[in-house]
Amino acid sequence: MKRRSRVLALLVALLPLAGCAAIPTQTYPKPLGPSAARQTSVEAPEPQKDLDALQIVREFILASANPEVDYAAAKAYLTPDARKSWNTKGTPTIIDNAFNTVPSTGDADLPADAKERTVQLLGRNVGRLELADSSFVQQGGDLNEPVRVQQVDGQWRISTPPVGVLVTIADFTRNYQRVVLFFYDKDRNVLVPDPRFVVIPPASGIPQRVVELLVKGPSSAMRGALFSELGPDAGINKNTAEANDGALEVDLTRLGDPSPAVRKKIVAQVVRSLAGVTSSRVRVLLDGDVISTEKPDWRPADVQSGEALITPTAEERGMVATGGKLLSLPEDAQVKGPAGTGEYNVVSGAQSLDGSQLAVVSRTGPNAVRLRVGPAEEALREVELPAASLTRPTWMPGNTVGQPGTEVWTVADGTNVVRVVRGEGGALSANSVNATELTGFGHIEELRLSRDGTRAAVVVSGRLFVVAVVRGEDSSIALRIPRPQPTSLDGVVKTVDWLAQDVLVAGTSLPNSPVVRLNIDGLKIERYNTSNLTVPITSIAAAPGRPILALDRSGLWSASEVGDVWRGNQVKPESTGYVFYPG
């Protein structure tokens, strides 16, 4: 029992933000440690004898974590007819660990020796795994499924199972590994992460499963925002496996006749995608021959990711908008030019990645603001974009290292997503972005472009979404496939920024989670230390290799790691101010 308690306590600690339902007295909760039904053997064991109706449903859910041999372990809990009809081909649904099995109220009048019963399966949905591309999608809401059971040869078995496959989040993370594939953005030579989940057993087959997903191309949520140098017809000649000399061989086919430059980019895609699942040298082959004459074997340090294009320069330390002025960090000095003197009555601002350009929201009246854009330390041009409110601006990166930013985004009056583009001669034009898939969720309170320009993190009426930035062949741009983040954050998110290409930091109004870090799929959430912070967090700033900056009503705070105590900053902005790093 002590060992089981330790396992259960560990799982609770690993999932601090998962919702929990109350456990009725009729249920039979058990630890989430290994059970015979969840072993990964080919021959599924028979269920333990004399389990009652509630236990048989619970054990069936736990056994559903094992997908081997078409979920044979779980099918052992079904009647013969149900084994044939249960659909295991759909999208697996991941549920919270704290699920319950209780008698159906409709069975209250059944005699004690009834041979058929209905068990209510109660809990919370967490997400689903998309079978088409193995991506994880958040999915909230209550779980309330009737499960019909009957006695077969004196043993309870399930005659009507839940629709599809249900797996607890603990078992999902035990049996599936998160892997990160890499594809290219459409306008630059930058590798962009595209996370997926692959079945772990057998572990030796994980590299093969990664390559299979890679040749299929970007996930459905990112199609139109990313592309693969492997091309749409790519295939695999033979299984990905270690050669006799220890190198991991990836033998591709149907790539056409790529140029040497494209071959090198293909190598970069493959090597970076395998970096998280192997420490071996990677040998990329095309129809059995080494794809690049430059060298036969590669490691992650040998390939170009384009990271320099999307990383703020070390000289640019960030800024804060407060009291109508822009101040530089960390020295509390006014930014040179009108933006720093108070002439523009600055509400919020943004600095381009290279540091040369500024965009500020300027208060022009009680219910009127304007966007101004231009070179830092100089007069900024006013954009023809009348609005009562504008979200803090966010810059699209340039196409080359050190190139001045030419495109800045904001949201006018909570609904109109606008990209302001600087043309030849410095003229500024405001163009609407198609955000209809997003605005239906409510009022847009913040929008932050990822520093590679392929995604946007958006706060809509307190909910956090990640969307793809899709550029059409006609130069139109749309925000597509909104992916909601965990329901535990619904209604409480106040501000967000990008810590890395696939990692967000959000400020909330939750006293026990004022600042959280989460992956873009939302499956992993980490709380920052709560010391010294007061809620709500009104502004957050994050960037690769920089401390997190959080602004609350008591001041500006910084922390480098999740467990760090927040340290006060010598800059003392107003709680209504905005803090930001370049990007």
Side-chain angles (χ1 to χ4, degrees), residues 71 74 89 101 120 136 141 148 159 187 201 247 275 280 297 318 326 388 404 430 443 460 466 477 487 502 516 531 563:
Y71 294 90
K89 306 302 182 185
T101 54
Q120 289 298 132
F136 178 84
R148 195 70 177 162
S159 58
D187 297 323
S280 300
D297 301 339
L326 280 188
H443 186 88
V460 186
V466 174
I477 298 183
T487 55
D502 58 349
V516 296
S531 61

Side-chain angles (χ1 to χ4, degrees), residues 320-322 329 515 531-541 548-558 566-579:
V320 61
T322 182
L329 296 172
V515 179
S531 61
N532 297 327
L533 296 181
T534 56
V535 292
I537 303 300
T538 55
S539 183
I540 205 94
I548 307 302
L549 300 176
L551 181 62
D552 64 12
R553 64 174 177 263
S554 62
L556 181 62
W557 305 90
S558 65
W566 291 89
R567 302 177 300 277
N569 195 289
Q570 69 182 51
V571 181
K572 304 297 181 184
E574 300 171 341
S575 61
T576 55
Y578 282 90
V579 61

Side-chain angles (χ1 to χ4, degrees), residues 244-329:
N244 292 334
D245 62 359
L248 185 69
E249 285 193 345
V250 180
D251 194 355
L252 303 172
T253 189
R254 300 196 302 275
L255 303 186
D257 185 18
S259 67
V262 171
R263 288 171 183 253
K264 195 169 181 180
K265 292 175 72 174
I266 290 171
V267 168
Q269 265 191 262
V270 173
V271 172
R272 284 296 305 275
S273 297
L274 288 169
V277 300
T278 183
S279 58
S280 300
R281 295 169 285 117
V282 177
R283 182 175 300 147
V284 184
L285 308 176
L286 175 56
D287 294 322
D289 296 323
V290 174
I291 192 172
S292 174
T293 58
E294 186 172 325
K295 58 190 303 184
D297 301 339
W298 302 77
R299 294 190 181 275
D302 300 328
V303 300
Q304 297 295 319
S305 66
E307 188 175 352
L309 283 167
I310 58 173
T311 303
T313 60
E315 294 77 19
E316 305 301 334
R317 306 293 295 278
M319 298 180 180
V320 61
T322 182
K325 306 173 183 179
L326 280 188
L327 305 180
S328 60
L329 296 172

Side-chain angles (χ1 to χ4, degrees), residues 104-272:
S104 170
T105 55
D107 287 359
D109 297 329
L110 290 177
D113 59 351
K115 304 299 183 185
E116 291 192 49
R117 294 187 177 278
T118 300
V119 175
Q120 289 298 132
L121 176 62
L122 306 177
R124 292 282 299 173
N125 293 311
V126 174
R128 68 180 187 274
L129 185 66
E130 295 284 9
L131 289 184
D133 56 20
S134 295
S135 62
F136 178 84
V137 180
Q138 288 285 331
Q139 178 178 301
D142 292 328
L143 173 70
N144 189 346
E145 285 269 353
V147 181
R148 195 70 177 162
V149 297
Q150 68 181 49
Q151 289 206 349
V152 177
D153 298 329
Q155 301 295 314
W156 287 107
R157 293 293 181 264
I158 297 170
S159 58
T160 307
V163 177
V165 178
L166 301 178
V167 182
T168 67
I169 190 169
D171 279 328
F172 176 74
T173 54
R174 184 182 297 119
N175 286 276
Y176 289 78
Q177 178 173 332
R178 185 180 191 266
V179 297
V180 181
L181 309 186
F182 284 86
F183 300 93
Y184 285 97
D185 69 320
K186 284 198 165 184
D187 297 323
R188 304 160 199 88
N189 295 319
V190 176
L191 283 173
V192 180
D194 194 0
R196 315 292 181 86
F197 287 84
V198 297
V199 174
I200 293 175
S204 60
I206 292 177
Q208 169 68 12
R209 291 190 276 280
V210 169
V211 176
E212 287 173 353
L213 289 171
L214 187 64
V215 300
K216 289 181 180 179
S219 60
S220 57
M222 293 303 293
R223 284 176 192 150
L226 301 178
F227 79 98
S228 175
E229 287 288 6
L230 279 68
D233 301 320
I236 306 171
N237 259 334
K238 62 181 181 181
N239 282 347
T240 299
E242 283 195 5
N244 292 334
D245 62 359
L248 185 69
E249 285 193 345
V250 180
D251 194 355
L252 303 172
T253 189
R254 300 196 302 275
L255 303 186
D257 185 18
S259 67
V262 171
R263 288 171 183 253
K264 195 169 181 180
K265 292 175 72 174
I266 290 171
V267 168
Q269 265 191 262
V270 173
V271 172
R272 284 296 305 275

Side-chain angles (χ1 to χ4, degrees), residues 380-561:
L380 307 179
R381 291 192 181 188
E382 186 174 293
V383 180
E384 184 57 37
L385 180 61
S389 68
L390 292 169
T391 60
R392 62 169 169 159
T394 178
W395 284 90
M396 186 69 72
N399 290 328
T400 59
V401 176
Q403 180 190 45
T406 60
E407 183 174 326
V408 65
W409 290 36
T410 186
V411 183
D413 298 326
T415 57
N416 183 20
V417 180
V418 177
R419 50 188 285 262
V420 175
V421 181
R422 187 178 65 244
E424 293 183 9
L428 299 171
S429 61
N431 307 277
S432 291
V433 174
N434 182 349
T436 54
E437 293 184 22
L438 191 64
T439 51
F441 292 102
H443 186 88
I444 299 177
E445 297 161 341
E446 188 157 82
L447 183 147
R448 307 300 298 160
L449 290 168
S450 61
R451 290 183 173 86
D452 55 39
T454 62
R455 293 181 173 96
V458 191
V459 180
V460 186
S461 299
R463 297 180 65 190
L464 181 58
F465 294 84
V466 174
V467 294
V469 178
V470 177
R471 295 178 179 267
E473 294 183 3
D474 59 353
S475 298
S476 64
I477 298 183
L479 299 179
R480 301 294 310 278
I481 321 293
R483 289 288 172 89
Q485 296 305 293
T487 55
S488 58
L489 299 178
D490 280 359
V492 301
V493 179
K494 299 298 181 181
T495 179
V496 68
D497 207 354
W498 292 89
L499 179 59
Q501 288 174 283
D502 58 349
V503 181
L504 297 168
V505 176
T508 81
S509 59
L510 289 175
N512 65 343
S513 306
V515 179
V516 296
R517 181 170 70 190
L518 62 158
N519 293 332
I520 54 175
D521 51 40
L523 188 58
K524 181 181 180 181
I525 308 178
E526 298 172 284
R527 289 190 184 116
Y528 279 83
N529 196 314
T530 62
S531 61
N532 297 327
L533 296 181
T534 56
V535 292
I537 303 300
T538 55
S539 183
I540 205 94
R546 308 290 181 90
I548 307 302
L549 300 176
L551 181 62
D552 64 12
R553 64 174 177 263
S554 62
L556 181 62
W557 305 90
S558 65
S560 295
E561 298 296 336

